[in-house]
Amino acid sequence: MASTRFFALLWLLFASALLSLVNAGGKTHHHDFVIQATPVKRLCKTHNSITVNGQFPGPTLEVNNGDTLVIKITNKARYNVTIHWHGIRQLRSGWADGPEFVTQCPIRPGGSYTYRFTIEGQEGTLWWHAHSSWLRATVYGALIIRPREGESYPFQKPKRETPILLGEWWDANPIDVVRQATRTGAAPNNSNAFTINGQPGDLYNCSSKDTVVVPIEVGETNLLRVINAALNQPLFFKIANHKLTVVSADASYTKPFTTDVLMLGPGQTTDVLITGDQPPARFYIAARAYQSASASFDNTTTTAILQYKSAPCSSTNCAATKPVMPQLPAFNDTATVTAFSRSFRSPRPVEVPTDIDENLFFTIGLGLNRCPTKFNSRRCQGPNGTRFASSMNNVSFVLPSTISILQAFQQRIPGVFTADFPANPPVKFDYTGNVSRSLWQPVPGTKGYRLKYGSRVQIVLQDTNIVTPENHPIHLHGYDFYIVAEGFGNFNPKTDTKKFNLVDPPLRNTVAVPANGWAVIRFVADNPGAWLMHCHLDVHITWGLAMVFLVDNGVGELQTMQPPPEDLPLC
Ligand SMILES: *[C@@H]1O[C@H](CO)[C@@H](O)[C@H](O)[C@H]1NC(C)=O
Ligand SMILES: *[C@@H]1O[C@H](CO)[C@@H](O)[C@H](O)[C@H]1NC(C)=O
Ligand SMILES: *[C@@H]1O[C@H](CO)[C@@H](O)[C@H](O)[C@H]1NC(C)=O
Ligand SMILES: *[C@@H]1O[C@H](CO)[C@@H](O)[C@H](O)[C@H]1NC(C)=O
Ligand SMILES: *[C@@H]1O[C@H](CO)[C@@H](O)[C@H](O)[C@H]1NC(C)=O
Ligand SMILES: *[C@@H]1O[C@H](CO)[C@@H](O)[C@H](O)[C@H]1NC(C)=O
Ligand SMILES: *[C@@H]1O[C@H](CO)[C@@H](O)[C@H](O)[C@H]1NC(C)=O
Ligand SMILES: *[C@@H]1O[C@H](CO)[C@@H](O)[C@H](O)[C@H]1NC(C)=O
Ligand SMILES: [Cu+2]
């Protein structure tokens, strides 16, 4: 008995020694992010935008797998803020994840907080962004994770690497835009431009001279790290006359495949190789909306220029020759989106969780809240005098306001959330058919779903036709998941289960669930904490398209959350 315990102790010592040895391989990067209002001129007008260190987009973080990041945020803006490190697993370090009122209270004006986390087993392109109101419209940047020192990419070493951040710009204060929508219940104003690395590009007024130029040379192969940082719009992405070879998405390598167009939902990243195989000239890099909902949208096109260094034009006469423009898919070209998303595979066979412990089915979609009679009509400017809503399994998510869900979960504080989020839709109906109006109004709630440490989870994400079908980019914090299948119509367990790819499905952190269709994801709940799962269209999270997984600690230190940091902001 005593000897078993002795050996267990010895093993624990050995394991922790091993762990510190592994960690010792990484470097620690210290950064200071000052959140501050900065004049930013776009579309002929200057706005006092909230930025990090006065930069828009914010600084690019470049690290290696195994490194540790220590980032001190100082809030000198007039808004509450938090920062989320999108796609970082945050193993045991949920306090550094960032969504406000989920893993922490916001950093108030004048306050500060230091995020500390280690990159464990992740390589590729991720990004960081504000996770408070709509601040991420201007508070975002790339987070590039290269292989460990001495290790290389599983593809041809690129000559150059360029991050391509797709963004969305309002000719207004984005916080005013969301506040107006919240007040009136109507859809928020559409953006006025999309951007590439912060610039709208040639097709917009007052933008030509700042159009981003991406260099290339004949014969070289470069890596573009494309990130959709737009608030509310899935985007098509294309480069005139060039093929793109996808090698990675959401910081997981993929089996390489070649395409001439990408589609990224907000939150998604896609790394592509591009070869300079055209006559040296200038080619437009362009992005515009993929619009699956029947609703108005920003139909403008953002551009940058892929410029061969040996192009026969000097900087003076370059402007005279128009770059070649690619033909982008139609706004509603769902067939192209489907063909693209079905091309993704893991590079080799992977261990997909089987013997599922938690078989979950979540409907996702919009709704409308009826207004009480005589309710101030200025607050009910949604369709036919309603207010827009959104939900998962008919629960429209409401954030707490006095403490974070993670603190309440850890410290067992009652009254903040309930752990009764439904495993299945409370009412079964023809999700993608003509849905009866009696089903359109969801119920507000702060509900989580509890998971035992190590449970194997499958979730069917089912879009509904309530108000409008739409392609929703569903993002899970703290995890990557396998996308084992997707399809249109209602998920049918009898026939659709047979189509699951349990051999080499792609691993991602954000799945673009087909409009009026479904996607099935699987993961093992091996990271304790409170993890938000939500639509990455900010307008939908504003309306409640979110829920939280509450994952218990397992056994021993390595399966237990770290204690909260001393400087964790309080409400
Ligand atoms: C939204 O658009 C309307 C109509 O163009 C405009 O009157 C309003 O000021 C805009 N709201 C914001 C917050 O910019
Ligand atoms: C660009 O400016 C012109 C002239 O002021 C105006 O007519 C046009 O509407 C503007 N275009 C956009 C996209 O704002
Ligand atoms: C974009 O929408 C505007 C207004 O609805 C319309 O006039 C214009 O033709 C559209 N542009 C494109 C490229 O579809
Ligand atoms: C896409 O929109 C065009 C008109 O803009 C329409 O003719 C076409 O039927 C639509 N396609 C689909 C698949 O909805
Ligand atoms: C608004 O009411 C009209 C007339 O009753 C109806 O045709 C339309 O579908 C309604 N729209 C929504 C979004 O409920
Ligand atoms: C949907 O159902 C409603 C009520 O049952 C009916 O009035 C309407 O015509 C139907 N719409 C379609 C497109 O079938
Ligand atoms: C959601 O719950 C409300 C309140 O119980 C109900 O009226 C509505 O029909 C439900 N809708 C769905 C899709 O379950
Ligand atoms: C900022 O956060 C605090 C909690 O820390 C909250 O009480 C306050 O309402 C928030 N302010 C805004 C404008 O959301
Ligand atoms: Cu959505």
Side-chain angles (χ1 to χ4, degrees), residues 287-323:
R288 73 169 188 183
Y290 163 51
Q291 178 69 3
S292 57
S294 43
S296 80
F297 64 103
D298 178 347
N299 64 3
T300 63
T301 304
T302 179
T303 55
I305 298 170
L306 182 76
Q307 181 161 314
Y308 281 71
K309 298 189 87 178
S310 56
C313 75
S314 67
S315 58
T316 45
N317 66 11
C318 262
T321 58
K322 268 234 165 292

Side-chain angles (χ1 to χ4, degrees), residues 418-442:
T418 52
D420 57 349
F421 186 87
N424 289 286
V427 179
K428 292 200 167 49
F429 58 99
D430 177 3
Y431 308 111
T432 53
N434 182 8
V435 184
S436 159
R437 292 280 164 146
S438 65
L439 296 168
W440 282 30
Q441 178 160 325

Side-chain angles (χ1 to χ4, degrees), residues 168-225:
E168 196 166 1
W169 180 263
W170 275 262
D171 193 17
N173 177 348
I175 303 298
D176 292 345
V177 174
V178 65
R179 283 186 180 164
Q180 182 182 35
T182 305
R183 196 168 58 242
T184 62
N189 287 0
N190 289 328
S191 53
N192 301 93
F194 296 104
T195 56
I196 294 178
N197 293 349
Q199 292 296 341
D202 289 3
L203 308 186
Y204 298 90
N205 286 345
C206 309
S207 303
S208 293
K209 71 171 173 41
D210 296 317
T211 299
V212 168
V213 173
V214 177
I216 194 165
E217 191 45 286
V218 175
E220 71 186 25
T221 294
N222 296 340
L223 183 67
L224 305 181
R225 300 172 178 274

Side-chain angles (χ1 to χ4, degrees), residues 216-405:
I216 194 165
E217 191 45 286
V218 175
E220 71 186 25
T221 294
N222 296 340
L223 183 67
L224 305 181
R225 300 172 178 274
V226 188
I227 300 165
N228 187 349
L231 256 79
N232 295 321
Q233 194 63 58
L235 293 165
F236 286 118
F237 176 89
K238 208 168 166 179
I239 303 180
N241 296 13
H242 287 76
K243 292 235 180 292
L244 306 171
T245 301
V246 175
V247 293
S248 174
D250 296 2
S252 289
Y253 294 116
T254 62
K255 186 170 288 180
F257 67 94
T258 300
T259 177
D260 58 8
V261 62
L262 312 181
M263 195 291 286
L264 296 94
Q268 295 187 309
T269 74
T270 307
D271 290 1
V272 297
L273 293 174
I274 177 170
T275 298
D277 57 6
Q278 294 300 304
R282 304 197 313 146
F283 301 87
Y284 272 128
I285 299 170
R288 73 169 188 183
Y290 163 51
Q291 178 69 3
S292 57
S294 43
S296 80
F297 64 103
D298 178 347
N299 64 3
T300 63
T301 304
T302 179
T303 55
I305 298 170
L306 182 76
Q307 181 161 314
Y308 281 71
K309 298 189 87 178
S310 56
C313 75
S314 67
S315 58
T316 45
N317 66 11
C318 262
T321 58
K322 268 234 165 292
V324 187
M325 185 69 190
Q327 183 164 12
L328 285 150
F331 295 116
N332 60 358
D333 190 350
T334 292
T336 290
V337 173
T338 307
F340 176 66
S341 68
R342 290 186 181 175
S343 303
F344 283 83
R345 298 274 183 286
S346 279
R348 60 191 67 83
V350 288
E351 245 183 80
V352 184
T354 52
D355 304 312
I356 297 299
D357 303 302
E358 296 279 357
N359 200 344
L360 309 175
F361 189 109
F362 294 177
T363 57
I364 56 174
L366 302 190
L368 294 177
N369 285 330
R370 282 182 290 271
C371 284
T373 38
K374 289 204 187 133
F375 190 63
N376 186 342
S377 69
R378 283 183 324 180
R379 289 186 53 81
C380 300
Q381 294 181 33
N384 296 335
T386 61
R387 293 174 58 81
F388 270 110
S390 198
S391 65
M392 285 186 169
N393 274 353
N394 207 35
V395 181
S396 188
F397 189 71
V398 179
L399 288 168
S401 58
T402 54
I403 191 168
S404 73
I405 291 177

Side-chain angles (χ1 to χ4, degrees), residues 374-544:
K374 289 204 187 133
F375 190 63
N376 186 342
S377 69
R378 283 183 324 180
R379 289 186 53 81
C380 300
Q381 294 181 33
N384 296 335
T386 61
R387 293 174 58 81
F388 270 110
S390 198
S391 65
M392 285 186 169
N393 274 353
N394 207 35
V395 181
S396 188
F397 189 71
V398 179
L399 288 168
S401 58
T402 54
I403 191 168
S404 73
I405 291 177
L406 183 55
Q407 287 168 291
F409 180 47
Q410 262 239 327
Q411 298 162 27
R412 298 190 165 80
I413 298 168
V416 178
F417 64 84
T418 52
D420 57 349
F421 186 87
N424 289 286
V427 179
K428 292 200 167 49
F429 58 99
D430 177 3
Y431 308 111
T432 53
N434 182 8
V435 184
S436 159
R437 292 280 164 146
S438 65
L439 296 168
W440 282 30
Q441 178 160 325
V443 184
T446 307
K447 292 182 185 296
Y449 191 89
R450 190 106 178 235
L451 292 171
K452 284 210 179 65
Y453 183 93
S455 40
R456 288 152 297 193
V457 184
Q458 170 176 303
I459 314 172
V460 176
L461 296 162
Q462 171 73 59
D463 186 31
T464 74
N465 198 20
I466 294 174
V467 185
T468 173
E470 184 157 5
N471 184 301
H472 298 278
I474 301 295
H475 173 51
L476 175 59
H477 288 229
Y479 290 92
D480 288 327
F481 47 73
Y482 290 108
I483 305 174
V484 299
E486 61 166 66
F488 289 97
N490 301 333
F491 176 74
N492 180 338
K494 289 206 183 68
T495 53
D496 292 327
T497 308
K498 295 190 198 104
K499 299 176 201 156
F500 285 5
N501 176 2
L502 300 179
V503 178
D504 58 358
L507 188 63
R508 302 202 63 153
N509 62 51
T510 306
V511 55
V513 179
N516 250 347
W518 49 268
V520 182
I521 64 172
R522 288 189 180 186
F523 64 96
V524 177
D526 60 359
N527 190 14
W531 303 108
L532 188 65
M533 186 167 79
H534 65 96
C535 180
H536 218 284
L537 307 180
D538 272 24
V539 52
H540 291 178
I541 191 176
T542 305
W543 290 338

Side-chain angles (χ1 to χ4, degrees), residues 112-193:
S112 69
Y113 178 47
T114 301
Y115 292 88
R116 292 168 199 271
F117 54 92
T118 299
I119 317 283
E120 295 184 60
Q122 295 188 280
E123 296 177 17
T125 305
L126 293 174
W127 59 301
W128 55 266
H129 61 78
H131 214 300
S132 177
S133 184
W134 276 22
L135 283 177
R136 80 172 178 84
T138 52
V139 179
Y140 64 88
L143 201 175
I144 293 168
I145 312 169
R146 300 212 167 78
R148 290 173 186 278
E149 301 271 0
E151 293 181 12
S152 50
Y153 297 128
F155 46 81
Q156 175 186 357
K157 188 180 186 325
K159 185 80 199 304
R160 296 168 216 274
E161 299 185 11
T162 312
I164 305 271
L165 290 129
L166 309 177
E168 196 166 1
W169 180 263
W170 275 262
D171 193 17
N173 177 348
I175 303 298
D176 292 345
V177 174
V178 65
R179 283 186 180 164
Q180 182 182 35
T182 305
R183 196 168 58 242
T184 62
N189 287 0
N190 289 328
S191 53
N192 301 93

